[in-house]
Amino acid sequence: MPIKISPLSKKSPPLSTVGFWVVLAAVALWPVLCGFNPYALRVAGQIGLYVVLALGLNFTLGYAGLFDLGFIAFYAVGAYTAALLSVRGWSFVPATLAAALAAVVVRVWVGIPILRLRGDYLAIVTMGFGEIARLVLNNWDSLTNGPKGLPRVGEAIWPAKIFGFTLSTNTHYYYLIMGAVLLSVLIARRLEDSRLGRAWVAIREDETAAQLSGLPVAQLKLAAFTISAFFAGLAGSIFAHWERFVTPESFVFWESILLVSMIVAGGMGSIKGVILGTVLLGGVPQMLQAVLVGSQWINYRYFVFGLVLVLAVLFRPQGLWPSRRREFEILDQEHAAV
């Protein structure tokens, strides 16, 4: 007997597909929806840069399980490289490629000596590198202009120019950043289901077992470091051209902690979770800053931020939107503990 399928069930798209297109339309129309409000556009742009950075860090922390607390240093390398090249007359595209390459080179140079480290030791070393990078930026006056930042008096970081079009407004940079976010999501999505992505997950779950299975653990770790640095260099170059001013104060240790929190709260190894965690932890404090009136109330936004983070970790240890693989792993661990 043939099975009858109702017209509604054949034509109705899955709810997740509808939600995706609604979110995509909202992102595309955001400048119109917010009335081209400069503050709303800057907050959305900053969240977009955080998404690019968090997706990059997700390769090392979320997939490979490498606890990196100095990731913001490579964002700084990208930003300063783009700024130094821009004041010397380089245009946006070659300066961005050079910034991403510089971040990758530094990442490989730092990553090779620490490939054997795990867990707490790796976290301490990467945290130390992040602080060393900030101190170098603060004290290498001849190159970075120290705490005063770049550009120096009489110099200028030129606005981004793509195919002859100069990006001069927050709306222009908003769409540039959203393009970078889309590119980052596509790359992350392709790598997630690749053999490389599955090998990273194997290392995260049990590095010794992965090594005994014949996986080249050191090379795979270095690949995670390298790809994540590319994302940091890309975001750093956009940041430098958008702000047209960079200082060491933009790359403090707190920023690395914030990125790690976004990934853990959203869901390690989950692209959707990382984006959700970034929007919540990167956007909510800035929205509270706009809503709350008075310096005393503004300081309370950090209390709200901490409370949200603690509740998320207590009640959703797998993250707010975990990947199915990670969710099953957490459940298995809980069952084993029982």
Side-chain angles (χ1 to χ4, degrees):
M1 181 178 179
I3 300 174
K4 293 183 178 179
I5 301 175
S6 68
L8 181 62
S9 62
K10 287 177 68 178
K11 294 181 180 179
S12 297
L15 187 59
S16 59
T17 304
V18 175
F20 169 77
W21 286 110
V22 169
V23 171
L24 192 62
V27 170
L29 296 175
W30 176 246
V32 178
L33 295 174
C34 73
F36 296 94
N37 182 287
Y39 183 78
L41 287 171
R42 287 196 67 83
V43 169
Q46 289 169 0
I47 293 173
L49 285 179
Y50 276 133
V51 169
V52 176
L53 289 170
L55 287 174
L57 182 59
N58 194 40
F59 287 115
T60 54
L61 177 61
Y63 294 134
L66 305 172
F67 207 54
D68 187 351
L69 292 180
F71 188 68
I72 205 67
F74 307 100
Y75 183 42
V77 170
Y80 269 86
T81 302
L84 288 167
L85 294 177
S86 181
V87 298
R88 287 162 175 75
W90 286 48
S91 58
F92 173 71
V93 174
T96 299
L97 293 175
L101 179 62
V104 167
V105 169
V106 175
R107 184 70 150 172
V108 171
W109 176 63
V110 174
I112 289 176
I114 62 175
L115 288 177
R116 293 177 179 274
L117 299 179
R118 304 181 190 180
D120 300 343
Y121 299 102
L122 180 62
I124 292 171
V125 170
T126 53
M127 181 177 64
F129 174 75
E131 281 301 289
I132 290 171
R134 189 181 63 82
L135 291 173
V136 169
L137 295 176
N138 256 321
N139 293 283
W140 196 352
D141 286 355
S142 61
L143 182 67
T144 66
N145 202 28
K148 295 187 288 293
L150 294 172
R152 298 178 180 84
V153 177
E155 297 178 338
I157 299 175
W158 301 105
K161 192 173 183 179
I162 302 176
F163 301 119
F165 181 77
T166 302
L167 281 65
S168 57
T169 66
N170 286 322
T171 305
H172 295 160
Y173 280 98
Y174 169 79
Y175 283 115
L176 173 66
I177 292 169
M178 290 305 120
V181 169
L182 182 60
L183 174 66
S184 304
V185 170
L186 290 175
I187 294 174
R189 188 74 185 87
R190 292 289 296 177
L191 288 175
E192 185 181 49
D193 291 332
S194 67
R195 295 180 65 180
L196 182 62
R198 290 169 185 158
W200 283 335
V201 172
I203 294 173
R204 182 188 70 195
E205 295 309 305
D206 193 329
E207 183 175 332
T208 303
Q211 197 160 22
L212 292 175
S213 301
L215 289 176
V217 172
Q219 290 90 331
L220 290 169
K221 284 184 177 180
L222 194 59
F225 281 141
T226 303
I227 295 172
S228 66
F230 175 84
F231 283 67
L234 172 66
S237 177
I238 295 175
F239 172 77
H241 285 86
W242 185 24
E243 296 290 341
R244 302 183 65 184
F245 186 73
V246 291
T247 68
E249 293 305 311
S250 300
F251 312 103
V252 295
F253 175 64
W254 158 252
E255 296 290 336
S256 288
I257 296 297
L258 183 60
L259 288 173
V260 172
S261 302
M262 291 169 178
I263 295 173
V264 173
M268 292 172 59
S270 165
I271 296 173
K272 296 174 184 175
V274 168
I275 295 174
L276 177 62
T278 305
V279 171
L280 291 178
L281 299 186
V284 169
Q286 299 193 52
M287 286 189 286
L288 287 174
Q289 187 175 2
V291 172
L292 299 177
V293 179
S295 59
Q296 186 178 6
W297 284 100
I298 286 175
N299 289 332
Y300 284 136
R301 71 184 189 274
Y302 295 110
F303 170 76
V304 176
F305 170 80
L307 183 63
V308 170
L309 190 60
V310 169
L311 291 176
V313 173
L314 284 177
F315 295 104
R316 294 286 295 179
Q318 68 273 42
L320 297 173
W321 199 341
S323 64
R324 291 179 62 81
R325 180 189 294 148
R326 183 65 179 164
E327 198 166 17
F328 287 138
E329 289 167 3
I330 295 288
L331 288 174
D332 287 343
Q333 291 173 6
E334 290 178 351
H335 291 159
V338 171

